[in-house]
């Protein structure tokens, strides 16, 4: 297949082994600052996925809590395939440091008693949340943290 514009469209999703954290893109801006986009993959592509209330609650809680640990977080957004998230950082690539940020934020999600901004004022679908499902997905991914740096199946 010819190369495509989106980096992850050039990744063979049959060859990866989830969960993992990998650098999906690096962009050096005109004034020299660097943006790094990480692929935070929860689910094995094309064999499992997260339900939308879990995706939505992970998105809200991670986006809010990660900023307590780092000023470099630019964005945390779900993949449309519901198998993971993209984390955009205003920093050069550093997978081990990012894994620690993700793990610390996952601990926040596990300790949360409510989803931030899960209401009609602050969200576009405030009823579409499940903290329990989010915590279950995060616990499962966190239990495999030791292998997050392994992206491709052997
Ligand atoms: Zn929302």
């Amino acid at each position: 297949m010819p190369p495509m514009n989106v980096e992850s469209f050039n990744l063979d999703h049959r060859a990866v082994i989830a969960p993992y954290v990998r650098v999906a893109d690096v962009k050096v801006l005109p004034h020299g600052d660097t943006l790094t986009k990480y692929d935070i993959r929860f689910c094995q592509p094309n064999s499992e996925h997260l339900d939308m209330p879990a995706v939505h609650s992970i998105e809200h809680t991670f986006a809010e809590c990660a900023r307590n640990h780092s000023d470099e977080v630019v964005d945390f957004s779900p993949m449309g395939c519901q198998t993971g998230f993209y984390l955009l950082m205003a920093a050069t690539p550093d997978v081990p440091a990012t894994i620690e940020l993700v793990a610390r934020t996952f601990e926040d999600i596990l300790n949360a008693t409510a989803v931030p901004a899960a209401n009609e004022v602050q969200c576009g679908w405030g009823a579409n949340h499940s903290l329990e499902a989010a915590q279950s997905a995060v616990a499962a991914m966190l239990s495999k943290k030791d292998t997050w740096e392994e992206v491709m199946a052997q």
Side-chain angles (χ1 to χ4, degrees):
M1 283 186 280
M4 296 188 70
N5 291 331
V6 177
E7 188 275 350
S8 68
F9 293 168
N10 298 313
L11 175 74
D12 185 347
H13 285 68
R14 301 166 303 181
V16 301
I17 183 147
Y20 62 75
V21 173
R22 78 178 181 93
V23 173
D25 199 11
V26 180
K27 187 147 282 188
V28 179
L29 303 181
H31 293 283
D33 294 323
T34 302
L35 290 175
T36 302
K37 179 184 179 183
Y38 294 92
D39 169 349
I40 314 294
R41 191 77 60 157
F42 277 65
C43 299
Q44 186 62 29
N46 298 296
S47 68
E48 51 186 10
H49 66 272
L50 301 173
D51 290 335
M52 271 314 297
V55 170
H56 195 184
S57 294
I58 293 168
E59 177 208 3
H60 273 229
T61 314
F62 192 106
E64 180 65 17
C65 295
R67 289 173 166 91
N68 291 333
H69 305 305
S70 173
D71 292 330
E72 296 173 339
V73 176
V74 176
D75 188 45
F76 182 77
S77 300
M79 296 174 180
C81 59
Q82 299 170 225
T83 64
F85 299 81
Y86 286 116
L87 173 62
L88 185 63
M89 300 288 289
T92 53
D94 187 340
V95 169
T98 301
I99 282 176
E100 290 314 309
L101 171 65
V102 169
R104 286 183 75 186
T105 306
F106 281 2
E107 294 288 351
D108 296 336
I109 295 174
L110 294 177
N111 292 327
T113 55
V115 176
N119 58 66
E120 292 187 6
V121 175
Q122 296 173 291
C123 173
W125 191 4
N128 185 39
H129 282 278
S130 172
L131 179 59
E132 294 74 20
Q135 289 171 328
S136 172
V138 163
M141 178 153 177
L142 196 54
S143 73
K144 296 180 178 168
K145 183 188 169 207
D146 289 350
T147 62
W148 287 0
E149 287 196 58
E150 294 168 23
V151 176
M152 308 308 283
Q154 298 304 310

